[in-house]
Amino acid sequence: MEIVYDALVLLHLLGMAGLVSGVVARLVAPGSPNGLIMLSGAGAQVLTGLALTGIASAGLVDSEVDNTKIAVKLGVAVVVLVLAHVLWRRPTAGQGVFGALAALTLLNVGVAVFW
């Protein structure tokens, strides 16, 4: 089960990379079709995060689960996923939507690193 857990961690990190690269792509080229990149990254983050939490909570790997941290991260990740979906459906959405997505993405990375 360790191999599956490690593979999910890799996919989780790749989802974060996709999400951050979509944010950077929109900053560099606002007219480019980057909404799908952010949506895919956010979706990967939510799905792999849930799978990682489930495996760790079931005691199948030697990882501690901080349920408060997971709840905060899941809440932020779901909001990011919704905002990414809005930006994908409406690429011309206001800068406020994009700014909120970028800020919440950085917040979630910060929670993962510093908590």
Side-chain angles (χ1 to χ4, degrees):
M1 192 52 74
E2 289 288 333
I3 293 173
V4 172
Y5 187 81
D6 291 342
L8 285 170
V9 169
L10 174 67
L11 291 173
H12 193 68
L13 291 174
L14 288 173
M16 180 196 58
L19 184 55
V20 171
S21 68
V23 168
V24 171
R26 179 153 175 148
L27 286 172
V28 172
S32 68
N34 46 37
L36 186 58
I37 298 169
M38 291 185 282
L39 181 62
S40 300
Q45 286 272 273
V46 171
L47 291 176
T48 57
L50 287 172
L52 287 167
T53 303
I55 289 172
S57 294
L60 300 175
V61 291
D62 293 332
S63 273
E64 291 291 321
V65 178
D66 183 352
N67 288 322
T68 305
K69 176 182 175 180
I70 296 300
V72 169
K73 286 188 58 59
L74 179 61
V76 172
V78 167
V79 172
V80 167
L81 181 61
V82 168
L83 292 175
H85 190 267
V86 167
L87 286 173
W88 174 62
R89 297 289 289 174
R90 295 187 192 150
T92 58
Q95 281 296 102
V97 174
F98 173 70
L101 182 137
L104 289 172
T105 298
L106 291 176
L107 173 70
N108 227 7
V109 171
V111 168
V113 171
F114 294 114
W115 189 332

